[in-house]
Amino acid sequence: METLSAFPSPPWPNPNPNPNPNPPSAVADSSSSERFDSDSVSSVDPTGLSPAVEPPASQPSLLHLSFNQDHGCFAAGTDRGFRIYNCDPFREIFRRDFDRGGGVGVVEMLFRCNILALVGGGPDPQYPPNKVMIWDDHQSRCIGELSFRSAVRGVRLQRDRIIVILEQKVFVYNFADLKLLHQIETIANPKGLCAVSQLSTSLVLVCPGLQKGQVRVEHYASRRTKFIMAHDSRIACFALTTNGQLLATASTKGTLVRIFNTFDGNLLQEVRRGADRAEIYSLAFSSTAQWLAVSSDKGTVHVFSLKVNSGSLGNDMTHQNDSSLSVAPSGSSFSFIKGVLPKYFKSEWSVAQFRLHEGSQYVVAFGHQKNTVVILGMDGSFYRCQFDSVNGGEMTQLEYHNFLMPEEAF
């Protein structure tokens, strides 16, 4: 299969290919997507840029960071364009830097294929912030465009669905013809919070509800809607397992993280990040749902052990019964005086931690290597760390890069 490559780069087309403010929707041919593999990345010569193109003298400003669906790659939107990186091994594998403007505020990948969703951002956006541009880099052209009356806050991609998040609405489109399938109203959602499962057989979508602290879960295969009152405060962050069975939520208070069964809304486990308030930036389940990682503005990434017996994460949830998700017995040494100690002392704390710069924004995911996490910072930092699953404690740093440095530095 062909790989995405910016060496050399085909010319980028007119950023507004349809000047008509209400153009007909282009057909997104998802069958044209081609995968790029990390194995083929090593064959790309990072010095293969045209001699006439000089790398910028200064680092761009980051506007967006996100992992792809399997956490094997991540995308960075900058004030000059966007870049795609491989996580293991770490490598920049693709970039687009524009001559004029070029700000990209949202870059959403579709696994490892050549299809991307782009939204303009920053002080000089490459595209209007109220449009989602579906870009096929294999064809070097835009194959779809979605326009809205207000700014796009986020985009999520699934193999056959495009989910667009606005301030107070979520739209679900069919990928093949960009036909609108579902529209959901939400409470004010400036962060564009939304999570979708990645099993092709059943789509589970989570978004804020219409009340403070509430999340809405859509099970499209079974046509069920579930509302969960997750917190008393506003929702700050949430994450789904790959199959959509488990949901982790955090509020703007940032002290507790709760894990729910999405099918019946039952609270399965509660873990404590800390005692003082914090802004939770990201939550991530491991592929087996054995671990949960949390990053916040306190500068520490926590890894928690989950005691949820969720079975195989590859199972379809269409016929799932409520008894398949349960909580394993807690091994707390305080269990014999349960109900006597204050709740703070009975909390489940993280088993492993990694210290970062306090105040910086980081997103986290589990690596493909056993017991590893990958941490991305809005300052351009890339960390790979390993935790001891038995003894816990401080994680070991395995790798560090500044991914905004000129590519010759790699």
Side-chain angles (χ1 to χ4, degrees):
M1 291 186 178
E2 294 185 16
T3 63
L4 282 177
S5 176
F7 313 113
S9 301
W12 193 268
N14 184 345
N16 297 294
N18 294 307
N20 184 347
N22 295 301
S25 295
V27 175
D29 181 9
S30 58
S31 64
S32 68
S33 64
E34 297 195 21
R35 172 174 171 166
F36 60 87
D37 298 296
S38 60
D39 292 340
S40 62
V41 169
S42 60
S43 64
V44 178
D45 180 6
T47 63
L49 285 170
S50 170
V53 179
E54 294 294 335
S58 59
Q59 294 183 1
S61 298
L62 267 178
L63 303 177
H64 169 90
L65 274 178
S66 64
F67 288 95
N68 72 337
Q69 289 83 353
D70 67 2
H71 302 154
C73 298
F74 69 94
T78 76
D79 59 351
R80 300 174 188 172
F82 65 91
R83 305 176 184 186
I84 306 297
Y85 299 84
N86 194 69
C87 290
D88 188 12
F90 172 79
R91 177 90 172 209
E92 180 186 320
I93 52 178
F94 175 81
R95 74 162 61 186
R96 285 284 185 266
D97 285 340
F98 307 132
D99 293 334
R100 296 180 296 275
V104 176
V106 174
V107 187
E108 182 73 7
M109 300 179 66
L110 181 58
F111 289 93
R112 291 175 174 269
C113 78
N114 47 289
I115 303 296
L116 303 169
L118 306 176
V119 180
D124 194 3
Q126 176 72 5
Y127 302 110
N130 67 323
K131 288 187 177 183
V132 176
M133 312 298 292
I134 307 300
W135 177 259
D136 180 352
D137 201 74
H138 179 62
Q139 301 183 46
S140 296
R141 67 180 181 92
C142 179
I143 60 172
E145 177 181 317
L146 296 168
S147 298
F148 302 90
R149 296 180 180 178
S150 60
V152 175
R153 300 301 186 187
V155 182
R156 303 291 183 269
L157 298 182
Q158 207 216 27
R159 295 189 188 278
D160 57 355
R161 296 290 184 266
I162 302 173
I163 297 92
V164 180
I165 306 98
L166 306 185
E167 182 84 20
Q168 291 185 292
K169 287 186 179 180
V170 175
F171 296 94
V172 180
Y173 294 89
N174 186 42
F175 215 140
D177 55 10
L178 300 186
K179 179 181 178 181
L180 179 63
L181 302 177
H182 194 198
Q183 179 176 325
I184 303 171
E185 293 188 4
T186 71
I187 197 172
N189 184 18
K191 291 184 177 180
L193 299 178
C194 185
V196 295
S197 63
Q198 292 302 326
L199 287 185
S200 58
T201 53
S202 60
L203 173 62
V204 180
L205 181 150
V206 179
C207 63
L210 289 170
Q211 303 177 39
K212 179 179 66 174
Q214 183 187 69
V215 292
R216 173 173 179 161
V217 183
E218 293 287 340
H219 291 273
Y220 285 96
S222 57
R223 298 183 179 180
R224 291 185 49 161
T225 301
K226 185 68 182 180
F227 291 92
I228 301 173
M229 285 303 304
H231 300 273
D232 294 330
S233 305
R234 286 184 176 272
I235 300 296
C237 190
F238 50 72
L240 270 176
T241 51
T242 301
N243 64 356
Q245 288 187 13
L246 302 179
L247 169 69
T249 67
S251 73
T252 51
K253 191 175 180 181
T255 54
L256 297 172
V257 178
R258 291 173 175 150
I259 295 89
F260 296 91
N261 176 350
T262 63
F263 194 77
D264 58 17
N266 285 341
L267 175 63
L268 302 176
Q269 190 174 350
E270 181 179 274
V271 298
R272 180 173 290 275
R273 179 212 55 82
D276 52 345
R277 299 181 70 96
E279 182 177 359
I280 303 296
Y281 289 135
S282 70
L283 302 169
F285 286 96
S286 64
S287 60
T288 60
Q290 182 182 2
W291 308 101
L292 178 74
V294 180
S295 66
S296 73
D297 63 350
K298 294 300 181 181
T300 302
V301 169
H302 296 270
V303 172
F304 296 88
S305 174
L306 299 185
K307 299 178 174 61
V308 178
N309 299 324
S310 60
S312 173
L313 288 184
N315 291 339
D316 195 306
M317 285 197 64
T318 305
H319 305 292
Q320 169 143 336
N321 57 52
D322 299 346
S323 62
S324 63
L325 293 176
S326 60
V327 180
S330 174
S332 171
S333 58
F334 296 118
S335 59
F336 68 99
I337 50 174
K338 184 177 181 180
V340 178
L341 286 174
K343 190 175 182 179
Y344 176 85
F345 292 100
K346 294 184 294 181
S347 299
E348 295 182 51
W349 297 82
S350 61
V351 298
Q353 309 83 32
F354 185 72
R355 315 291 174 181
L356 297 156
H357 298 294
E358 186 172 346
S360 296
Q361 186 170 347
Y362 298 93
V363 292
V364 62
F366 285 89
H368 289 184
Q369 299 178 33
K370 186 177 181 180
N371 298 338
T372 60
V373 295
V374 175
I375 305 166
L376 309 176
M378 288 298 288
D379 57 357
S381 56
F382 172 98
Y383 296 90
R384 189 196 318 281
C385 307
Q386 188 169 44
F387 62 94
D388 188 325
S389 60
V390 177
N391 299 316
E394 293 292 328
M395 298 188 216
T396 302
Q397 179 178 315
L398 303 178
E399 195 173 355
Y400 169 82
H401 300 279
N402 182 342
F403 58 80
L404 292 180
M405 293 180 64
E407 56 196 316
E408 284 82 355
F410 303 146

